[in-house]
Amino acid sequence: MKVILLGTAAGGGFPQWNCACEQCRSSAPPRTQDCVAFSADGTTWHLLNASPDIRTQILATPALRAGPGPRETPLRSVLLTDAELDHALGLLMLREATGLTVHAPAAALHALTEHFPARMVIEGYHSWDWISAAETTVDGLNVTPFPISDKQPKYARASTMPGPWVIAYRIHDPATGGSFVYAPCLRTWPPGFTAFTRGATLVLLDGTFYDGAEFATATATATATATATGTADPAVQQGMGHLPITATLPTITGHGGTRWAYTHLNNTNPVVNPHSVEHAAVLQAGAELPPDGTEFTL
Ligand code: MLT
Ligand code: MN
Ligand code: ZN
């Protein structure tokens, strides 16, 4: 199985268009928004999430470009972990695709119908298949979803739809024995998640924030809450729906044989600077911070 990291930044990308912080004005390598492509044999491909940067990401990736027929593309499906805009806006960019299958948690399909009606919009162009994520097989690869949290997109306005709103996926290639877990949105380390990742060749984890102090400066509301409660309060860190790297790094070290990598890096995260002490600390702990375009053969 082949896996390509098309984008590795959180919503807004890096640098973020509306941020003039020192890091966004630095020469640290840019990162596009979180999105992954995988393929059993390199001929047909599947996306994990559909980032708003998907057009640029496809054009930058020879394996994903149109062909071999004049109106053919190798894309067959999109597996959404959630309905956050940085993971779902790309569906609209893909509207020219004559047939795609979209897998998503039922709550995310609800959001894409009632709150951000991408599904209705796309149905005006082409008829796609929209299915509630469940254990399945794509091109001979086994796909297993895992419930992560009930973190909803802000635009869902506290919907009463039951969760899970966020899931992770494990993709296993029976031909090679390789497998990877994709979990870019971890509000907590949920019960059973250690077992879900066990024995995987590669795990891509939520790396939005480095630590609680960074979280406190990431948003104005967060600053107010963090000031009131202390910036290292895990409940505050979880309020954004993203466990910081400092909370997951101790958990993952010692899981022998598995490669751990962080993705969905926020523009505020010091690890985006390859010369930062935080970047060095992640590598030192045995985890990876792969740039956009990184390919894995599993
Ligand atoms: C998130 O990851 O928490 C969301 O994508 C936030 C956003 O809407 O950008
Ligand atoms: Mn996001
Ligand atoms: Zn910035």
Side-chain angles (χ1 to χ4, degrees), residues 14-29 267 272:
F14 178 74
Q16 181 154 326
W17 69 273
N18 63 339
C19 186
C21 75
E22 200 179 325
Q23 185 154 272
C24 286
R25 287 184 288 115
S26 77
S27 58
N267 63 301
V272 304

Side-chain angles (χ1 to χ4, degrees), residues 2-290:
K2 292 189 183 305
V3 177
I4 306 179
L5 307 191
L6 303 180
T8 55
F14 178 74
Q16 181 154 326
W17 69 273
N18 63 339
C19 186
C21 75
E22 200 179 325
Q23 185 154 272
C24 286
R25 287 184 288 115
S26 77
S27 58
R31 292 174 183 263
T32 61
Q33 294 164 88
D34 174 40
C35 197
V36 175
F38 68 93
S39 173
D41 60 4
T43 58
T44 55
W45 288 81
H46 307 271
L47 296 178
L48 285 158
N49 289 329
S51 99
D53 298 316
I54 191 64
R55 178 183 176 277
T56 311
Q57 292 167 337
I58 287 172
L59 294 180
T61 310
L64 298 182
R65 295 191 73 148
R71 294 288 288 182
E72 280 174 12
T73 114
L75 281 187
R76 294 293 179 271
S77 71
V78 181
L79 285 67
L80 299 178
T81 56
D82 52 72
E84 294 287 352
L85 292 178
D86 58 338
H87 288 158
L89 272 172
L91 294 173
L92 297 180
M93 319 301 168
L94 298 174
R95 67 191 174 282
E96 292 94 348
T98 50
L100 278 181
T101 302
V102 179
H103 306 247
L109 290 179
H110 165 83
L112 296 176
T113 306
E114 297 295 331
H115 302 283
F116 162 46
R119 187 172 166 174
M120 306 308 146
V121 172
I122 289 163
E123 275 166 9
Y125 295 77
H126 290 291
S127 177
W128 293 2
D129 292 323
W130 302 79
I131 54 183
S132 185
E135 190 131 14
T136 188
T137 303
V138 294
D139 293 345
L141 304 173
N142 303 325
V143 175
T144 309
F146 183 88
I148 292 288
S149 79
D150 288 342
K151 177 184 187 287
Q152 297 183 9
K154 285 183 191 164
Y155 69 77
R157 308 297 172 92
S159 162
T160 54
M161 182 75 181
W165 279 76
V166 178
I167 62 175
Y169 290 97
R170 182 165 173 149
I171 318 288
H172 172 72
D173 186 346
T176 64
S179 58
F180 80 104
V181 170
Y182 176 61
C185 184
L186 284 180
R187 181 162 66 186
T188 61
W189 190 274
F193 190 63
T194 298
F196 186 68
T197 60
R198 190 168 291 133
T201 325
L202 170 71
V203 182
L204 296 169
L205 278 187
D206 185 344
T208 310
F209 299 116
Y210 185 71
D211 64 16
E214 175 206 339
F215 168 82
T217 54
T219 71
T221 18
T223 306
T225 322
T227 308
T229 60
T231 54
D233 182 345
V236 173
Q237 295 166 354
Q238 292 164 17
M240 281 285 284
H242 300 285
L243 272 182
I245 289 177
T246 52
T248 54
L249 205 50
T251 313
I252 68 178
T253 52
H255 286 231
T258 297
R259 285 173 77 173
W260 299 83
Y262 286 102
T263 188
H264 194 272
L265 310 180
N266 199 50
N267 63 301
T268 53
N269 192 330
V271 302
V272 304
N273 173 2
H275 306 295
S276 67
V277 294
E278 292 85 356
H279 186 104
V282 171
L283 301 192
Q284 176 67 30
E288 301 177 40
L289 292 161

